[in-house]
């Protein structure tokens, strides 16, 4: 692969790396911050997903390095997940669920973009992103199921 393609791929991997890191931060906050009996299942699910999101970020960081990129530190971080912030009303489970779904949509969109970029160019990155995409789609499906119970 030529250097321009490699640079583009690294840039897109860094973007999805930050999506995963930011989701981890917000899942941690929401999994602790939500209140009420109705929130317990959501809190448990998010607490479990923290490790999955960190694992995704680690896998992405390793691939960025393998491609010759540098994994950015916190000073390069620019938060974007406005919908995934812990709700002001700590019993607003529906807002938290909507935030998770929106964050998953963003990750899914970015993984699909990278998968298309890699086609016939970088099967290792493509395979990694397909695997991580499957996790994101499963998590999104779970939260759509939660939403059905509340709406």
């Amino acid at each position: 692969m030529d250097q321009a393609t490699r640079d583009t791929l690294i840039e897109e991997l860094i973007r999805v790396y930050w999506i995963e890191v930011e989701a981890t931060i917000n899942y941690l906050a929401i999994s602790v911050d939500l209140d009420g009996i109705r929130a317990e299942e959501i809190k448990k699910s998010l607490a479990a997903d923290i490790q999955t999101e960190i694992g995704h970020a680690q896998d992405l960081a390793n691939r960025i390095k393998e491609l010759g990129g540098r994994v950015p530190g916190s000073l390069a971080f620019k938060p974007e997940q406005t919908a995934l912030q812990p709700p002001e009303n700590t019993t607003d489970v529906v807002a938290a669920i909507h935030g998770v779904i929106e964050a998953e949509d963003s990750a899914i969109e970015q993984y699909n973009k990278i998968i298309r970029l890699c086609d016939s160019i970088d099967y290792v990155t493509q395979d990694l992103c397909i695997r991580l995409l499957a996790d994101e789609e499963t998590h999104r499906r779970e939260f759509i199921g939660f939403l059905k119970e509340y709406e």
Side-chain angles (χ1 to χ4, degrees), residues 8-24:
T8 299
L9 193 51
I10 290 167
E11 183 180 306
E12 297 301 335
L13 286 167
I14 289 170
R15 177 160 161 58
V16 78
Y17 166 81
W18 284 128
I19 289 170
E20 297 288 4
V21 169
E22 188 172 9
T24 301

Side-chain angles (χ1 to χ4, degrees), residues 16-75:
V16 78
Y17 166 81
W18 284 128
I19 289 170
E20 297 288 4
V21 169
E22 188 172 9
T24 301
I25 294 166
N26 290 319
Y27 288 178
L28 173 62
I30 295 167
S31 73
V32 172
D33 214 38
L34 281 181
D35 290 316
I37 293 169
R38 293 173 17 125
E40 285 308 307
E41 198 63 33
I42 305 305
K43 290 171 66 166
K44 284 181 197 169
S45 178
L46 288 174
D49 287 329
I50 291 167
Q51 294 308 312
T52 301
E53 301 298 319
I54 289 173
H56 289 180
Q58 288 174 318
D59 290 345
L60 292 162
N62 285 322
R63 189 63 190 150
I64 290 163
K65 181 70 173 173
E66 288 163 0
L67 289 171
R70 299 268 332 260
V71 180
S74 63
L75 291 179

Side-chain angles (χ1 to χ4, degrees), residues 108-127:
I108 288 167
E109 181 180 323
Q110 184 65 13
Y111 282 122
N112 278 314
K113 180 179 182 180
I114 295 168
I115 290 164
R116 286 189 302 275
L117 277 172
C118 290
D119 208 28
S120 300
I121 296 170
D122 180 353
Y123 296 115
V124 174
T125 301
Q126 189 176 50
D127 183 61

